[in-house]
Amino acid sequence: MNLKEANALNRIWFGATSDGSFEAAQSPDARSGKSLGKNQLWWTFTKGTAIGTQITNAASLGVALALQDVSYAPDSSTSSSDPIANGSSDVRNKWRELDYAGLADAVNTGVALQPTVFSDLITDKADLGKLRDLGRKVIVYSGLVDDAIPPAGNINYHERVAAAMGGHAEVQKFMRMYLLPGSAHSSQGRAYTVGGKNDTVPLPKLPGNTNQTPTREQDQFFTALVDWVEKGTAPGEVMLTSRDNSVSYPVCVYPLRTTWNGNGDAKQASSYSCR
């Protein structure tokens, strides 16, 4: 790999910026989602995430919506998604003409249009006072190699909720978040993991295509939510085990994280703690 290729990868791992720059020595807090880097628009995926299809498959529908111009949408040659059908123009793929500043403008325009064009559908409002006051409970979990939703964005939202709602201890009275090592995006309980090793990476038990009415032990996080609402039992550590029963470890209530103790079998839960 030459320097030009290495810098291109660094830009991908750093995330979109308004000028194409990246920070080679990004701080741990910035990488985790607590603070944006210089000129950074948003976070990208954690290093080690399988992002091959993200690089080769254009996901520019949001750009077209933000700019209110269908010509910026992808066609079937650049995206696996169904192409937008619109009679106003048959021009597509103008997203290719955007420079860094142009993409930043599209992002900012989309945010500015939320209250009007997009009916204020923005989903990251930090003031959850009404939810709290109604006695509602929320459990959020995020895979640390999610290849569709950058986990740093979830962390950033949780940190903003904590800042708006009196700190983590107050937020944990009604909302708790878990960060899952090795877990990527999932659908219908068929979780994808780093390297596609679905059987050897601990994942939460979920209802799948053939298991739409799971028993309690087959749907871990939903069961934890039910017990919190109906019994007042707030969730703590949740033990995850791989499908082949070869690896186990606890996942923790954020801001605690699953941490290897530095010794012991890395496949055994006893070698981990929440810190």
PDB file of all heavy atoms in Angstrom, residues 55-65 67 69-86 89-99:
ATOM      1  N   ILE A  55     -18.246   1.041   0.538  1.00  0.00           N
ATOM      2  CA  ILE A  55     -17.353   1.741  -0.368  1.00  0.00           C
ATOM      3  C   ILE A  55     -17.807   1.589  -1.808  1.00  0.00           C
ATOM      4  O   ILE A  55     -17.719   2.522  -2.617  1.00  0.00           O
ATOM      5  CB  ILE A  55     -15.907   1.219  -0.204  1.00  0.00           C
ATOM      6  CG1 ILE A  55     -15.400   1.548   1.209  1.00  0.00           C
ATOM      7  CG2 ILE A  55     -14.981   1.811  -1.243  1.00  0.00           C
ATOM      8  CD1 ILE A  55     -14.063   0.927   1.533  1.00  0.00           C
ATOM      9  N   THR A  56     -18.314   0.430  -2.168  1.00  0.00           N
ATOM     10  CA  THR A  56     -18.662   0.149  -3.563  1.00  0.00           C
ATOM     11  C   THR A  56     -20.122   0.423  -3.894  1.00  0.00           C
ATOM     12  O   THR A  56     -20.499   0.404  -5.066  1.00  0.00           O
ATOM     13  CB  THR A  56     -18.363  -1.328  -3.897  1.00  0.00           C
ATOM     14  OG1 THR A  56     -19.130  -2.180  -3.025  1.00  0.00           O
ATOM     15  CG2 THR A  56     -16.883  -1.627  -3.702  1.00  0.00           C
ATOM     16  N   ASN A  57     -20.960   0.695  -2.900  1.00  0.00           N
ATOM     17  CA  ASN A  57     -22.392   0.868  -3.120  1.00  0.00           C
ATOM     18  C   ASN A  57     -22.804   2.267  -2.670  1.00  0.00           C
ATOM     19  O   ASN A  57     -22.702   2.607  -1.502  1.00  0.00           O
ATOM     20  CB  ASN A  57     -23.168  -0.195  -2.334  1.00  0.00           C
ATOM     21  CG  ASN A  57     -24.643  -0.169  -2.639  1.00  0.00           C
ATOM     22  OD1 ASN A  57     -25.042  -0.059  -3.794  1.00  0.00           O
ATOM     23  ND2 ASN A  57     -25.460  -0.274  -1.607  1.00  0.00           N
ATOM     24  N   ALA A  58     -23.239   3.105  -3.617  1.00  0.00           N
ATOM     25  CA  ALA A  58     -23.569   4.482  -3.282  1.00  0.00           C
ATOM     26  C   ALA A  58     -24.868   4.561  -2.495  1.00  0.00           C
ATOM     27  O   ALA A  58     -25.878   3.992  -2.899  1.00  0.00           O
ATOM     28  CB  ALA A  58     -23.697   5.300  -4.561  1.00  0.00           C
ATOM     29  N   ALA A  59     -24.832   5.271  -1.388  1.00  0.00           N
ATOM     30  CA  ALA A  59     -26.032   5.483  -0.576  1.00  0.00           C
ATOM     31  C   ALA A  59     -26.307   6.983  -0.537  1.00  0.00           C
ATOM     32  O   ALA A  59     -26.167   7.634   0.498  1.00  0.00           O
ATOM     33  CB  ALA A  59     -25.830   4.923   0.830  1.00  0.00           C
ATOM     34  N   SER A  60     -26.698   7.539  -1.675  1.00  0.00           N
ATOM     35  CA  SER A  60     -26.828   8.992  -1.795  1.00  0.00           C
ATOM     36  C   SER A  60     -28.279   9.464  -1.831  1.00  0.00           C
ATOM     37  O   SER A  60     -28.546  10.604  -2.196  1.00  0.00           O
ATOM     38  CB  SER A  60     -26.110   9.489  -3.049  1.00  0.00           C
ATOM     39  OG  SER A  60     -26.679   8.921  -4.213  1.00  0.00           O
ATOM     40  N   LEU A  61     -29.219   8.589  -1.458  1.00  0.00           N
ATOM     41  CA  LEU A  61     -30.617   9.002  -1.470  1.00  0.00           C
ATOM     42  C   LEU A  61     -30.850  10.177  -0.515  1.00  0.00           C
ATOM     43  O   LEU A  61     -31.633  11.080  -0.815  1.00  0.00           O
ATOM     44  CB  LEU A  61     -31.512   7.828  -1.085  1.00  0.00           C
ATOM     45  CG  LEU A  61     -31.473   6.614  -2.028  1.00  0.00           C
ATOM     46  CD1 LEU A  61     -32.359   5.502  -1.482  1.00  0.00           C
ATOM     47  CD2 LEU A  61     -31.911   7.003  -3.430  1.00  0.00           C
ATOM     48  N   GLY A  62     -30.167  10.159   0.617  1.00  0.00           N
ATOM     49  CA  GLY A  62     -30.303  11.258   1.561  1.00  0.00           C
ATOM     50  C   GLY A  62     -29.813  12.574   0.990  1.00  0.00           C
ATOM     51  O   GLY A  62     -30.382  13.638   1.271  1.00  0.00           O
ATOM     52  N   VAL A  63     -28.762  12.511   0.183  1.00  0.00           N
ATOM     53  CA  VAL A  63     -28.247  13.722  -0.464  1.00  0.00           C
ATOM     54  C   VAL A  63     -29.289  14.286  -1.419  1.00  0.00           C
ATOM     55  O   VAL A  63     -29.547  15.495  -1.456  1.00  0.00           O
ATOM     56  CB  VAL A  63     -26.934  13.416  -1.209  1.00  0.00           C
ATOM     57  CG1 VAL A  63     -26.495  14.615  -2.056  1.00  0.00           C
ATOM     58  CG2 VAL A  63     -25.838  13.040  -0.220  1.00  0.00           C
ATOM     59  N   ALA A  64     -29.911  13.397  -2.204  1.00  0.00           N
ATOM     60  CA  ALA A  64     -30.936  13.844  -3.143  1.00  0.00           C
ATOM     61  C   ALA A  64     -32.117  14.478  -2.417  1.00  0.00           C
ATOM     62  O   ALA A  64     -32.663  15.507  -2.852  1.00  0.00           O
ATOM     63  CB  ALA A  64     -31.405  12.663  -3.994  1.00  0.00           C
ATOM     64  N   LEU A  65     -32.515  13.883  -1.278  1.00  0.00           N
ATOM     65  CA  LEU A  65     -33.621  14.438  -0.510  1.00  0.00           C
ATOM     66  C   LEU A  65     -33.255  15.793   0.089  1.00  0.00           C
ATOM     67  O   LEU A  65     -34.052  16.739   0.050  1.00  0.00           O
ATOM     68  CB  LEU A  65     -34.020  13.462   0.601  1.00  0.00           C
ATOM     69  CG  LEU A  65     -34.762  12.203   0.161  1.00  0.00           C
ATOM     70  CD1 LEU A  65     -34.882  11.226   1.328  1.00  0.00           C
ATOM     71  CD2 LEU A  65     -36.149  12.546  -0.370  1.00  0.00           C
ATOM     72  N   LEU A  67     -31.021  17.964  -0.940  1.00  0.00           N
ATOM     73  CA  LEU A  67     -30.870  18.989  -1.968  1.00  0.00           C
ATOM     74  C   LEU A  67     -32.131  19.153  -2.806  1.00  0.00           C
ATOM     75  O   LEU A  67     -32.172  20.005  -3.700  1.00  0.00           O
ATOM     76  CB  LEU A  67     -29.679  18.647  -2.865  1.00  0.00           C
ATOM     77  CG  LEU A  67     -28.319  18.627  -2.162  1.00  0.00           C
ATOM     78  CD1 LEU A  67     -27.213  18.232  -3.139  1.00  0.00           C
ATOM     79  CD2 LEU A  67     -28.001  19.981  -1.524  1.00  0.00           C
ATOM     80  N   ASP A  69     -33.303  17.365  -5.140  1.00  0.00           N
ATOM     81  CA  ASP A  69     -32.937  17.212  -6.548  1.00  0.00           C
ATOM     82  C   ASP A  69     -32.673  15.734  -6.817  1.00  0.00           C
ATOM     83  O   ASP A  69     -31.669  15.174  -6.354  1.00  0.00           O
ATOM     84  CB  ASP A  69     -31.690  18.044  -6.851  1.00  0.00           C
ATOM     85  CG  ASP A  69     -31.338  18.099  -8.333  1.00  0.00           C
ATOM     86  OD1 ASP A  69     -31.819  17.221  -9.094  1.00  0.00           O
ATOM     87  OD2 ASP A  69     -30.584  19.007  -8.721  1.00  0.00           O
ATOM     88  N   VAL A  70     -33.575  15.093  -7.568  1.00  0.00           N
ATOM     89  CA  VAL A  70     -33.470  13.659  -7.804  1.00  0.00           C
ATOM     90  C   VAL A  70     -32.231  13.287  -8.608  1.00  0.00           C
ATOM     91  O   VAL A  70     -31.768  12.141  -8.561  1.00  0.00           O
ATOM     92  CB  VAL A  70     -34.743  13.145  -8.522  1.00  0.00           C
ATOM     93  CG1 VAL A  70     -34.803  13.652  -9.952  1.00  0.00           C
ATOM     94  CG2 VAL A  70     -34.839  11.631  -8.462  1.00  0.00           C
ATOM     95  N   SER A  71     -31.656  14.233  -9.311  1.00  0.00           N
ATOM     96  CA  SER A  71     -30.479  13.913 -10.126  1.00  0.00           C
ATOM     97  C   SER A  71     -29.279  13.528  -9.271  1.00  0.00           C
ATOM     98  O   SER A  71     -28.323  12.929  -9.776  1.00  0.00           O
ATOM     99  CB  SER A  71     -30.118  15.092 -11.034  1.00  0.00           C
ATOM    100  OG  SER A  71     -29.764  16.234 -10.278  1.00  0.00           O
ATOM    101  N   TYR A  72     -29.314  13.840  -7.970  1.00  0.00           N
ATOM    102  CA  TYR A  72     -28.212  13.446  -7.078  1.00  0.00           C
ATOM    103  C   TYR A  72     -28.376  12.021  -6.545  1.00  0.00           C
ATOM    104  O   TYR A  72     -27.490  11.500  -5.882  1.00  0.00           O
ATOM    105  CB  TYR A  72     -28.098  14.424  -5.896  1.00  0.00           C
ATOM    106  CG  TYR A  72     -27.471  15.731  -6.281  1.00  0.00           C
ATOM    107  CD1 TYR A  72     -28.262  16.808  -6.667  1.00  0.00           C
ATOM    108  CD2 TYR A  72     -26.088  15.893  -6.288  1.00  0.00           C
ATOM    109  CE1 TYR A  72     -27.687  18.015  -7.044  1.00  0.00           C
ATOM    110  CE2 TYR A  72     -25.498  17.098  -6.654  1.00  0.00           C
ATOM    111  CZ  TYR A  72     -26.321  18.154  -7.035  1.00  0.00           C
ATOM    112  OH  TYR A  72     -25.736  19.342  -7.412  1.00  0.00           O
ATOM    113  N   ALA A  73     -29.498  11.395  -6.837  1.00  0.00           N
ATOM    114  CA  ALA A  73     -29.733  10.022  -6.386  1.00  0.00           C
ATOM    115  C   ALA A  73     -28.938   9.041  -7.241  1.00  0.00           C
ATOM    116  O   ALA A  73     -28.603   9.329  -8.393  1.00  0.00           O
ATOM    117  CB  ALA A  73     -31.219   9.700  -6.472  1.00  0.00           C
ATOM    118  N   PRO A  74     -28.628   7.848  -6.702  1.00  0.00           N
ATOM    119  CA  PRO A  74     -27.917   6.846  -7.500  1.00  0.00           C
ATOM    120  C   PRO A  74     -28.856   6.131  -8.446  1.00  0.00           C
ATOM    121  O   PRO A  74     -30.074   6.097  -8.233  1.00  0.00           O
ATOM    122  CB  PRO A  74     -27.380   5.893  -6.442  1.00  0.00           C
ATOM    123  CG  PRO A  74     -28.407   5.945  -5.353  1.00  0.00           C
ATOM    124  CD  PRO A  74     -28.893   7.370  -5.330  1.00  0.00           C
ATOM    125  N   ASP A  75     -28.292   5.550  -9.498  1.00  0.00           N
ATOM    126  CA  ASP A  75     -29.084   4.650 -10.330  1.00  0.00           C
ATOM    127  C   ASP A  75     -28.655   3.212 -10.032  1.00  0.00           C
ATOM    128  O   ASP A  75     -27.846   2.970  -9.132  1.00  0.00           O
ATOM    129  CB  ASP A  75     -28.954   4.985 -11.822  1.00  0.00           C
ATOM    130  CG  ASP A  75     -27.534   4.822 -12.352  1.00  0.00           C
ATOM    131  OD1 ASP A  75     -26.683   4.198 -11.657  1.00  0.00           O
ATOM    132  OD2 ASP A  75     -27.258   5.292 -13.469  1.00  0.00           O
ATOM    133  N   SER A  76     -29.204   2.275 -10.751  1.00  0.00           N
ATOM    134  CA  SER A  76     -28.935   0.865 -10.457  1.00  0.00           C
ATOM    135  C   SER A  76     -27.494   0.471 -10.722  1.00  0.00           C
ATOM    136  O   SER A  76     -27.039  -0.570 -10.244  1.00  0.00           O
ATOM    137  CB  SER A  76     -29.874  -0.030 -11.272  1.00  0.00           C
ATOM    138  OG  SER A  76     -29.711   0.211 -12.656  1.00  0.00           O
ATOM    139  N   SER A  77     -26.747   1.285 -11.449  1.00  0.00           N
ATOM    140  CA  SER A  77     -25.351   0.950 -11.732  1.00  0.00           C
ATOM    141  C   SER A  77     -24.435   1.255 -10.559  1.00  0.00           C
ATOM    142  O   SER A  77     -23.319   0.739 -10.486  1.00  0.00           O
ATOM    143  CB  SER A  77     -24.852   1.709 -12.972  1.00  0.00           C
ATOM    144  OG  SER A  77     -24.707   3.099 -12.687  1.00  0.00           O
ATOM    145  N   THR A  78     -24.889   2.098  -9.634  1.00  0.00           N
ATOM    146  CA  THR A  78     -24.030   2.492  -8.515  1.00  0.00           C
ATOM    147  C   THR A  78     -24.602   2.128  -7.156  1.00  0.00           C
ATOM    148  O   THR A  78     -23.956   2.352  -6.130  1.00  0.00           O
ATOM    149  CB  THR A  78     -23.770   4.013  -8.534  1.00  0.00           C
ATOM    150  OG1 THR A  78     -25.021   4.707  -8.478  1.00  0.00           O
ATOM    151  CG2 THR A  78     -23.024   4.424  -9.795  1.00  0.00           C
ATOM    152  N   SER A  79     -25.814   1.587  -7.120  1.00  0.00           N
ATOM    153  CA  SER A  79     -26.426   1.250  -5.844  1.00  0.00           C
ATOM    154  C   SER A  79     -27.239  -0.023  -5.982  1.00  0.00           C
ATOM    155  O   SER A  79     -27.876  -0.260  -7.011  1.00  0.00           O
ATOM    156  CB  SER A  79     -27.338   2.392  -5.368  1.00  0.00           C
ATOM    157  OG  SER A  79     -28.031   2.026  -4.193  1.00  0.00           O
ATOM    158  N   SER A  80     -27.237  -0.833  -4.921  1.00  0.00           N
ATOM    159  CA  SER A  80     -28.036  -2.050  -4.920  1.00  0.00           C
ATOM    160  C   SER A  80     -29.477  -1.774  -4.504  1.00  0.00           C
ATOM    161  O   SER A  80     -30.339  -2.641  -4.610  1.00  0.00           O
ATOM    162  CB  SER A  80     -27.421  -3.082  -3.960  1.00  0.00           C
ATOM    163  OG  SER A  80     -27.414  -2.573  -2.630  1.00  0.00           O
ATOM    164  N   SER A  81     -29.753  -0.550  -4.025  1.00  0.00           N
ATOM    165  CA  SER A  81     -31.107  -0.180  -3.645  1.00  0.00           C
ATOM    166  C   SER A  81     -31.955   0.063  -4.894  1.00  0.00           C
ATOM    167  O   SER A  81     -31.436   0.338  -5.979  1.00  0.00           O
ATOM    168  CB  SER A  81     -31.099   1.086  -2.783  1.00  0.00           C
ATOM    169  OG  SER A  81     -30.324   0.905  -1.624  1.00  0.00           O
ATOM    170  N   ASP A  82     -33.252  -0.014  -4.714  1.00  0.00           N
ATOM    171  CA  ASP A  82     -34.139   0.286  -5.831  1.00  0.00           C
ATOM    172  C   ASP A  82     -33.984   1.753  -6.219  1.00  0.00           C
ATOM    173  O   ASP A  82     -34.083   2.647  -5.356  1.00  0.00           O
ATOM    174  CB  ASP A  82     -35.600   0.025  -5.448  1.00  0.00           C
ATOM    175  CG  ASP A  82     -35.885  -1.450  -5.248  1.00  0.00           C
ATOM    176  OD1 ASP A  82     -35.188  -2.258  -5.886  1.00  0.00           O
ATOM    177  OD2 ASP A  82     -36.782  -1.787  -4.454  1.00  0.00           O
ATOM    178  N   PRO A  83     -33.736   2.020  -7.504  1.00  0.00           N
ATOM    179  CA  PRO A  83     -33.554   3.417  -7.926  1.00  0.00           C
ATOM    180  C   PRO A  83     -34.840   4.217  -7.798  1.00  0.00           C
ATOM    181  O   PRO A  83     -35.941   3.679  -7.913  1.00  0.00           O
ATOM    182  CB  PRO A  83     -33.107   3.291  -9.388  1.00  0.00           C
ATOM    183  CG  PRO A  83     -33.646   1.971  -9.837  1.00  0.00           C
ATOM    184  CD  PRO A  83     -33.598   1.080  -8.632  1.00  0.00           C
ATOM    185  N   ILE A  84     -34.714   5.512  -7.519  1.00  0.00           N
ATOM    186  CA  ILE A  84     -35.873   6.396  -7.433  1.00  0.00           C
ATOM    187  C   ILE A  84     -36.472   6.582  -8.824  1.00  0.00           C
ATOM    188  O   ILE A  84     -35.755   6.856  -9.800  1.00  0.00           O
ATOM    189  CB  ILE A  84     -35.484   7.764  -6.851  1.00  0.00           C
ATOM    190  CG1 ILE A  84     -35.150   7.623  -5.363  1.00  0.00           C
ATOM    191  CG2 ILE A  84     -36.610   8.777  -7.036  1.00  0.00           C
ATOM    192  CD1 ILE A  84     -34.742   8.913  -4.700  1.00  0.00           C
ATOM    193  N   ALA A  85     -37.769   6.406  -8.930  1.00  0.00           N
ATOM    194  CA  ALA A  85     -38.476   6.695 -10.180  1.00  0.00           C
ATOM    195  C   ALA A  85     -39.094   8.078 -10.063  1.00  0.00           C
ATOM    196  O   ALA A  85     -39.890   8.338  -9.162  1.00  0.00           O
ATOM    197  CB  ALA A  85     -39.547   5.652 -10.435  1.00  0.00           C
ATOM    198  N   ASN A  86     -38.697   8.984 -10.953  1.00  0.00           N
ATOM    199  CA  ASN A  86     -39.181  10.354 -10.903  1.00  0.00           C
ATOM    200  C   ASN A  86     -39.192  10.911 -12.315  1.00  0.00           C
ATOM    201  O   ASN A  86     -38.175  10.909 -13.001  1.00  0.00           O
ATOM    202  CB  ASN A  86     -38.286  11.198  -9.993  1.00  0.00           C
ATOM    203  CG  ASN A  86     -38.830  12.590  -9.752  1.00  0.00           C
ATOM    204  OD1 ASN A  86     -38.965  13.382 -10.670  1.00  0.00           O
ATOM    205  ND2 ASN A  86     -39.133  12.892  -8.489  1.00  0.00           N
ATOM    206  N   SER A  89     -36.856  14.194 -14.138  1.00  0.00           N
ATOM    207  CA  SER A  89     -35.536  14.115 -14.779  1.00  0.00           C
ATOM    208  C   SER A  89     -35.067  12.670 -14.779  1.00  0.00           C
ATOM    209  O   SER A  89     -35.328  11.926 -13.839  1.00  0.00           O
ATOM    210  CB  SER A  89     -34.525  14.983 -14.023  1.00  0.00           C
ATOM    211  OG  SER A  89     -33.216  14.780 -14.514  1.00  0.00           O
ATOM    212  N   ASP A  90     -34.386  12.293 -15.856  1.00  0.00           N
ATOM    213  CA  ASP A  90     -33.803  10.957 -15.886  1.00  0.00           C
ATOM    214  C   ASP A  90     -32.318  10.991 -15.571  1.00  0.00           C
ATOM    215  O   ASP A  90     -31.623   9.989 -15.651  1.00  0.00           O
ATOM    216  CB  ASP A  90     -34.044  10.279 -17.240  1.00  0.00           C
ATOM    217  CG  ASP A  90     -33.446  11.066 -18.397  1.00  0.00           C
ATOM    218  OD1 ASP A  90     -32.820  12.129 -18.160  1.00  0.00           O
ATOM    219  OD2 ASP A  90     -33.606  10.628 -19.559  1.00  0.00           O
ATOM    220  N   VAL A  91     -31.821  12.160 -15.175  1.00  0.00           N
ATOM    221  CA  VAL A  91     -30.413  12.314 -14.797  1.00  0.00           C
ATOM    222  C   VAL A  91     -30.222  11.755 -13.393  1.00  0.00           C
ATOM    223  O   VAL A  91     -31.026  12.015 -12.493  1.00  0.00           O
ATOM    224  CB  VAL A  91     -29.985  13.796 -14.834  1.00  0.00           C
ATOM    225  CG1 VAL A  91     -28.542  13.952 -14.343  1.00  0.00           C
ATOM    226  CG2 VAL A  91     -30.137  14.369 -16.232  1.00  0.00           C
ATOM    227  N   ARG A  92     -29.178  10.970 -13.190  1.00  0.00           N
ATOM    228  CA  ARG A  92     -28.854  10.418 -11.886  1.00  0.00           C
ATOM    229  C   ARG A  92     -27.337  10.510 -11.655  1.00  0.00           C
ATOM    230  O   ARG A  92     -26.580  10.835 -12.550  1.00  0.00           O
ATOM    231  CB  ARG A  92     -29.289   8.944 -11.789  1.00  0.00           C
ATOM    232  CG  ARG A  92     -30.781   8.714 -11.952  1.00  0.00           C
ATOM    233  CD  ARG A  92     -31.577   9.269 -10.764  1.00  0.00           C
ATOM    234  NE  ARG A  92     -32.984   8.916 -10.861  1.00  0.00           N
ATOM    235  CZ  ARG A  92     -33.887   9.645 -11.507  1.00  0.00           C
ATOM    236  NH1 ARG A  92     -33.527  10.764 -12.123  1.00  0.00           N
ATOM    237  NH2 ARG A  92     -35.151   9.267 -11.534  1.00  0.00           N
ATOM    238  N   ASN A  93     -26.922  10.196 -10.458  1.00  0.00           N
ATOM    239  CA  ASN A  93     -25.503  10.089 -10.083  1.00  0.00           C
ATOM    240  C   ASN A  93     -24.757  11.424 -10.038  1.00  0.00           C
ATOM    241  O   ASN A  93     -23.523  11.440 -10.093  1.00  0.00           O
ATOM    242  CB  ASN A  93     -24.760   9.115 -10.998  1.00  0.00           C
ATOM    243  CG  ASN A  93     -25.156   7.684 -10.763  1.00  0.00           C
ATOM    244  OD1 ASN A  93     -25.537   7.314  -9.662  1.00  0.00           O
ATOM    245  ND2 ASN A  93     -25.097   6.865 -11.809  1.00  0.00           N
ATOM    246  N   LYS A  94     -25.477  12.538  -9.885  1.00  0.00           N
ATOM    247  CA  LYS A  94     -24.756  13.803  -9.728  1.00  0.00           C
ATOM    248  C   LYS A  94     -24.029  13.883  -8.387  1.00  0.00           C
ATOM    249  O   LYS A  94     -23.219  14.780  -8.172  1.00  0.00           O
ATOM    250  CB  LYS A  94     -25.722  14.987  -9.868  1.00  0.00           C
ATOM    251  CG  LYS A  94     -26.071  15.329 -11.308  1.00  0.00           C
ATOM    252  CD  LYS A  94     -26.908  16.599 -11.403  1.00  0.00           C
ATOM    253  CE  LYS A  94     -26.100  17.826 -10.983  1.00  0.00           C
ATOM    254  NZ  LYS A  94     -26.896  19.074 -11.144  1.00  0.00           N
ATOM    255  N   TRP A  95     -24.317  12.909  -7.495  1.00  0.00           N
ATOM    256  CA  TRP A  95     -23.561  12.856  -6.248  1.00  0.00           C
ATOM    257  C   TRP A  95     -22.075  12.735  -6.517  1.00  0.00           C
ATOM    258  O   TRP A  95     -21.247  13.162  -5.713  1.00  0.00           O
ATOM    259  CB  TRP A  95     -24.034  11.688  -5.379  1.00  0.00           C
ATOM    260  CG  TRP A  95     -23.895  10.328  -6.020  1.00  0.00           C
ATOM    261  CD1 TRP A  95     -24.818   9.677  -6.776  1.00  0.00           C
ATOM    262  CD2 TRP A  95     -22.745   9.477  -5.967  1.00  0.00           C
ATOM    263  NE1 TRP A  95     -24.337   8.462  -7.200  1.00  0.00           N
ATOM    264  CE2 TRP A  95     -23.061   8.305  -6.720  1.00  0.00           C
ATOM    265  CE3 TRP A  95     -21.501   9.554  -5.353  1.00  0.00           C
ATOM    266  CZ2 TRP A  95     -22.161   7.253  -6.876  1.00  0.00           C
ATOM    267  CZ3 TRP A  95     -20.601   8.507  -5.503  1.00  0.00           C
ATOM    268  CH2 TRP A  95     -20.936   7.366  -6.263  1.00  0.00           C
ATOM    269  N   ARG A  96     -21.719  12.180  -7.663  1.00  0.00           N
ATOM    270  CA  ARG A  96     -20.307  12.035  -8.028  1.00  0.00           C
ATOM    271  C   ARG A  96     -19.623  13.376  -8.234  1.00  0.00           C
ATOM    272  O   ARG A  96     -18.392  13.466  -8.203  1.00  0.00           O
ATOM    273  CB  ARG A  96     -20.193  11.202  -9.308  1.00  0.00           C
ATOM    274  CG  ARG A  96     -20.489   9.725  -9.121  1.00  0.00           C
ATOM    275  CD  ARG A  96     -20.509   9.019 -10.443  1.00  0.00           C
ATOM    276  NE  ARG A  96     -20.409   7.562 -10.299  1.00  0.00           N
ATOM    277  CZ  ARG A  96     -20.558   6.712 -11.292  1.00  0.00           C
ATOM    278  NH1 ARG A  96     -20.831   7.154 -12.521  1.00  0.00           N
ATOM    279  NH2 ARG A  96     -20.444   5.408 -11.076  1.00  0.00           N
ATOM    280  N   GLU A  97     -20.392  14.421  -8.464  1.00  0.00           N
ATOM    281  CA  GLU A  97     -19.824  15.740  -8.728  1.00  0.00           C
ATOM    282  C   GLU A  97     -19.587  16.534  -7.443  1.00  0.00           C
ATOM    283  O   GLU A  97     -18.988  17.603  -7.470  1.00  0.00           O
ATOM    284  CB  GLU A  97     -20.756  16.530  -9.646  1.00  0.00           C
ATOM    285  CG  GLU A  97     -21.007  15.863 -10.992  1.00  0.00           C
ATOM    286  CD  GLU A  97     -22.061  16.592 -11.816  1.00  0.00           C
ATOM    287  OE1 GLU A  97     -22.375  17.760 -11.472  1.00  0.00           O
ATOM    288  OE2 GLU A  97     -22.563  15.997 -12.780  1.00  0.00           O
ATOM    289  N   LEU A  98     -20.075  16.028  -6.319  1.00  0.00           N
ATOM    290  CA  LEU A  98     -19.919  16.756  -5.065  1.00  0.00           C
ATOM    291  C   LEU A  98     -18.486  16.675  -4.551  1.00  0.00           C
ATOM    292  O   LEU A  98     -17.896  15.602  -4.499  1.00  0.00           O
ATOM    293  CB  LEU A  98     -20.859  16.186  -4.008  1.00  0.00           C
ATOM    294  CG  LEU A  98     -22.356  16.431  -4.196  1.00  0.00           C
ATOM    295  CD1 LEU A  98     -23.146  15.650  -3.152  1.00  0.00           C
ATOM    296  CD2 LEU A  98     -22.680  17.912  -4.103  1.00  0.00           C
ATOM    297  N   ASP A  99     -17.940  17.820  -4.167  1.00  0.00           N
ATOM    298  CA  ASP A  99     -16.654  17.816  -3.466  1.00  0.00           C
ATOM    299  C   ASP A  99     -16.950  17.764  -1.965  1.00  0.00           C
ATOM    300  O   ASP A  99     -18.098  17.632  -1.537  1.00  0.00           O
ATOM    301  CB  ASP A  99     -15.816  19.033  -3.837  1.00  0.00           C
ATOM    302  CG  ASP A  99     -16.520  20.361  -3.555  1.00  0.00           C
ATOM    303  OD1 ASP A  99     -17.577  20.351  -2.879  1.00  0.00           O
ATOM    304  OD2 ASP A  99     -16.025  21.408  -4.016  1.00  0.00           O
TER     305      ASP A  99
END
